[in-house]
Amino acid sequence: MSTEATPLVHIEGLYKQFGDNEVLRGIDLDIAEGEVVCLIGPSGSGKSTLLRCVNLLETPTEGTIAAAGHDMTGPDADLDAARRDIGMVFQHFNLFSHLSILDNIAIAQRRVLHRSRSEAEAEARRRLAEVGIEGKEQARPSQLSGGQQQRVAIARALAMGPKLMLFDEPTSALDPELVGEVLSVMKGLASEGMTMLVVTHEMAFAREVADRVLFLDGGVIVESGPPAAVLSNPKTERARSFLHRILHPVD
C-alpha cells in the first residue's frame, strides 16, 4: 500500500466462490484517487465479479475491501452510505421503463439523498447536459437509442455525487456506431479526475484513457501496468493470445 496517500480502493486477499467454482483467487489491488484502471481478460476470468465485489453486489468468500472511505467487508459496513459514494453503470441500462428520463435520474436523489423534487430535477438536468442529452427529459427510455440510454444511466450515477465509478462493460450491449458516444462521456469523466474501475473490451479506450490496465485470467491478475506495456508488449503467453484474438479477430 502506498505510503504517500491512502488509496481510494484497497483490496486484499479477495476470493470469491460460487459453489465449487472459484472465480477470484487472491486478488490484491490498490487504486489511487483520480486513477482510471481498466480490467481486461477473457469471459469467465472474474472481471465483472471483481467489480461487483467492490460495492458488495457480490459478497466475497474471503478477503477485505475498502472503497471510497468505507470498510465494505467490515462487520459494521453501512452499504447504503457506501453505495452513495460508489456509482455503477451496467451492461444493460437498468432504467425504469415507466418513468421519464428526468424521473429516472431524480428518484434516487429524492429517496436516498432526501433532495426536494426541484433540487433533484435541477441536478438531473445538469447531469443530462453533461452527458449530451438535452431536451429528452420527458421521454421514456424506450424512445431513446441504446447509446442515449447508457448516457442517462451514467448521468443517474453521477447525480448522486460519487467518489468512485464502476463500469461493467458499459458498451457491450450497444450497436457499434453508438459505442463512441458513451466512451466520449467516460473520457470526459476521466479528464475531470473521476476515479474509475472499468471492465471493457474496448482496447483503444483502455490505451487512451487508462492509467493502468489489469489482465485477469482464471481469477488472478496475470499482468498489470501502463496501457502501452500491457497492450503492446504483454509479458505472458496468456495475455498475448487474448490480445491477438481481440485485436485481430477472424473475419
Side-chain angles (χ1 to χ4, degrees), residues 108-126:
Q109 297 180 65
R110 294 177 64 197
R111 289 184 177 176
V112 178
L113 301 181
H114 308 296
R115 289 175 178 159
S116 68
R117 178 184 288 276
S118 61
E119 286 175 321
E121 290 186 353
E123 178 66 6
R125 292 178 193 280
R126 186 171 80 84

Side-chain angles (χ1 to χ4, degrees), residues 37-38 42 44 79 87 95 126 133 143 171 210 212 216 224:
V37 175
C38 283
L79 296 186
L95 300 177
R126 186 171 80 84
I133 303 184
Q143 296 173 287
T171 60
R212 194 162 27 127
L216 269 70
S224 173

Side-chain angles (χ1 to χ4, degrees), residues 142-227:
S142 61
Q143 296 173 287
L144 303 185
S145 71
Q148 289 173 323
Q149 289 185 61
Q150 192 61 294
R151 285 187 281 158
V152 170
I154 294 171
R156 178 178 58 184
L158 292 175
M160 303 298 285
K163 299 174 184 174
L164 169 68
M165 285 286 288
L166 308 176
F167 292 88
D168 189 4
E169 299 199 42
T171 60
S172 65
L174 301 179
D175 293 332
E177 67 269 20
L178 301 177
V179 167
E181 63 190 56
V182 173
L183 295 181
S184 177
V185 170
M186 294 171 65
K187 289 174 187 175
L189 291 177
S191 70
E192 292 164 10
M194 175 61 75
T195 310
M196 296 161 58
L197 181 58
V198 184
V199 175
T200 186
H201 287 294
E202 299 291 338
M203 297 303 148
F205 171 82
R207 187 182 297 276
E208 180 181 350
V209 178
D211 297 296
R212 194 162 27 127
V213 172
L214 309 182
F215 172 69
L216 269 70
D217 194 21
V220 298
I221 298 173
V222 177
E223 297 204 27
S224 173

